[in-house]
């Protein structure tokens, strides 16, 4: 099945999970698309089987809280930021619920966390105005970039460069092999007046960068020249939450949650809104991602919804 407008419009909720008692704040698919992990403000990490549409297990992180969860390259381990005690990043073994390593260093809340697509390294950005580069095998930070504002970051699909969005107005591109020399290019955009940038994502083809915000706009820019390509609007965000926007795996559609509990979908090239998907989410949808391998979508408020195409619009 190919992802075209009519297929996207035919997506319906196939399964709803109501395990969480508070807002799900981050989700991540495994690279093979077989599993999904979520974390919530009720301090629970939930692991799902995407093929069977079942919940595999729940892991509690009552002591430290949990946010920004990501699978590593192994499906049985994950990293996450903390919401209590301190701002250490933690590396967790999911099958026996043991921490394998701690990554201390940030002095304020971690607001950006990304795993390299090609190796066991990751990037973190914090309200302490630093970006840090880590290797999963060592608790010591491999590099620190001091910035002049709140950072969000992302690796490109090849894992050769990373982008840092700083102060909701500029994007700096770094070469991973020589990041200590500073960015090799900086794109200056108009500073957001009404909201902050809360996330960056490269498209799978590496040609564009999607900027999520805690307001009611999403921006798409050219990854090579920094030129603004599209501004996606029409979804609601009247609560100032960091609503996630995501690409479809073929880079041609953009999905976003909304505080009205619906999922909005645009065409990335034209900026035209394809549809609004209603899955009866009772609360704001903060997280939306498309499975990297299978024709399925996941969206989350307090509930987790799995969507599949029905073939009927």
């Amino acid at each position: 099945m190919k992802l075209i407008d009519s297929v996207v419009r035919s997506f319906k909720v196939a399964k709803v999970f109501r395990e969480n008692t508070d807002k799900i704040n981050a989700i991540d698919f495994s690279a093979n698309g077989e599993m999904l992990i979520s974390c919530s403000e009720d301090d629970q990490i939930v692991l799902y089987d995407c093929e069977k549409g079942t919940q595999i297990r729940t892991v509690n992180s009552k002591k430290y809280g949990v946010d920004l969860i990501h699978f590593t390259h192994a499906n049985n381990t994950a990293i996450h930021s903390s919401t209590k005690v301190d701002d250490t990043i933690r590396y967790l073994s999911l099958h026996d619920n043991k921490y394998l390593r701690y990554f201390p260093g940030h002095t304020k809340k971690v607001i950006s966390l990304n795993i390299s697509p090609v190796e066991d390294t990751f990037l973190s950005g914090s309200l302490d105005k630093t970006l840090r580069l880590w290797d999963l095998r060592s608790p010591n930070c491999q590099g620190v970039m001091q910035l002049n504002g709140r950072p969000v970051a992302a690796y490109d699909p090849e894992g050769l460069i990373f982008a840092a969005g700083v102060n909701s107005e500029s994007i700096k591109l770094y070469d991973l092999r020589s990041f200590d020399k500073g960015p090799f290019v900086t794109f200056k955009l108009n500073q957001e007046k009404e909201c902050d940038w809360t996330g960056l994502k490269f498209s799978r083809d590496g040609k564009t960068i999607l900027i999520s915000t805690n307001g009611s706009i999403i921006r798409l820019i050219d990854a090579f020249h920094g030129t603004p390509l599209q501004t996606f609007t029409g979804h609601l965000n009247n609560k100032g939450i960091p609503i996630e926007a995501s690409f479809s795996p073929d880079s041609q559609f953009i999905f976003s949650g909304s505080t009205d509990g619906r999922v909005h979908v645009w065409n990335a090239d034209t900026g035209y809104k394809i549809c609004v998907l209603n899955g009866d989410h009772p609360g704001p949808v903060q997280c939306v991602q498309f499975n990297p391998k299978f024709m399925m979508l996941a969206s989350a408020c307090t509930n987790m919804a799995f969507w599949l195409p029905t073939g009927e619009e």
Side-chain angles (χ1 to χ4, degrees):
M1 202 186 237
K2 194 168 169 353
L3 210 51
I4 52 174
D5 291 11
S6 59
V7 172
V8 172
R9 290 192 193 106
S10 82
F11 268 78
K12 298 276 185 294
V13 173
K15 191 83 190 264
V16 178
F17 301 91
R18 298 182 173 85
E19 318 310 320
N20 293 104
T21 56
D22 208 335
K23 181 171 78 183
I24 293 169
N25 48 27
I27 65 175
D28 189 43
F29 281 104
S30 60
N32 62 9
E34 289 168 12
M35 290 157 87
L36 177 75
I37 197 167
S38 74
C39 62
S40 162
E41 295 187 3
D42 60 13
D43 308 327
Q44 286 193 99
I45 297 165
V46 184
L47 203 56
Y48 301 91
D49 183 315
C50 297
E51 291 178 290
K52 294 184 185 140
T54 55
Q55 188 184 325
I56 302 170
R57 75 173 63 88
T58 300
V59 174
N60 284 313
S61 177
K62 295 286 182 212
K63 184 175 175 186
Y64 302 113
V66 55
D67 198 358
L68 304 177
I69 198 147
H70 282 277
F71 280 111
T72 63
H73 293 289
N75 287 358
N76 57 356
T77 56
I79 55 168
H80 68 79
S81 64
S82 313
T83 57
K84 305 174 190 174
V85 184
D86 57 22
D87 299 291
T88 297
I89 297 158
R90 296 182 156 82
Y91 179 22
L92 178 67
S93 165
L94 294 164
H95 69 92
D96 54 4
N97 194 12
K98 285 197 167 62
Y99 284 110
L100 303 172
R101 193 160 284 124
Y102 298 98
F103 303 96
H106 283 300
T107 55
K108 289 188 175 164
K109 182 181 165 77
V110 174
I111 54 170
S112 185
L113 196 59
N114 285 273
I115 283 261
S116 161
V118 294
E119 55 191 7
D120 283 335
T121 58
F122 67 94
L123 265 171
S124 60
S126 157
L127 291 177
D128 63 16
K129 299 184 182 175
T130 66
L131 269 181
R132 288 173 179 263
L133 203 55
W134 310 85
D135 187 307
L136 280 174
R137 293 161 299 199
S138 162
N140 304 319
C141 174
Q142 309 292 300
V144 184
M145 285 130 283
Q146 304 284 343
L147 303 162
N148 62 354
R150 58 179 284 154
V152 285
Y155 287 92
D156 82 314
E158 311 282 293
L160 297 173
I161 66 167
F162 64 89
V166 185
N167 224 19
S168 307
E169 64 179 346
S170 62
I171 289 188
K172 299 174 185 289
L173 298 184
Y174 294 82
D175 186 317
L176 270 155
R177 289 155 303 193
S178 55
F179 65 85
D180 46 347
K181 295 195 172 96
F184 62 86
V185 65
T186 298
F187 305 137
K188 196 91 166 110
L189 286 86
N190 292 331
Q191 179 154 28
E192 300 297 346
K193 299 279 189 288
E194 317 275 299
C195 58
D196 299 311
W197 292 353
T198 52
L200 291 187
K201 285 180 186 176
F202 277 87
S203 56
R204 179 84 60 94
D205 60 16
K207 292 178 182 168
T208 58
I209 297 172
L210 189 63
I211 304 170
S212 305
T213 72
N214 58 7
S216 49
I217 52 170
I218 300 160
R219 302 202 184 276
L220 187 70
I221 67 160
D222 183 289
F224 302 107
H225 309 289
T227 32
L229 299 174
Q230 300 294 346
T231 299
F232 306 106
T233 57
H235 61 298
L236 286 175
N237 189 358
N238 49 15
K239 295 189 168 31
I241 59 175
I243 288 183
E244 178 177 38
S246 298
F247 288 99
S248 56
D250 60 10
S251 310
Q252 66 169 336
F253 295 102
I254 305 293
F255 296 83
S256 168
S258 176
T259 49
D260 66 3
R262 299 188 296 176
V263 174
H264 294 246
V265 191
W266 298 266
N267 180 300
D269 291 334
T270 63
Y272 179 74
K273 184 170 283 188
I274 303 296
C275 61
V276 180
L277 298 169
N278 193 354
D280 296 324
H281 274 293
V285 175
Q286 184 170 327
C287 307
V288 179
Q289 284 182 31
F290 206 97
N291 188 305
K293 296 288 190 235
F294 302 112
M295 189 67 85
M296 87 169 261
L297 182 72
S299 62
C301 61
T302 1
N303 299 344
M304 171 68 75
F306 285 7
W307 303 69
L308 296 170
T310 58
E312 311 149 20
E313 285 188 44

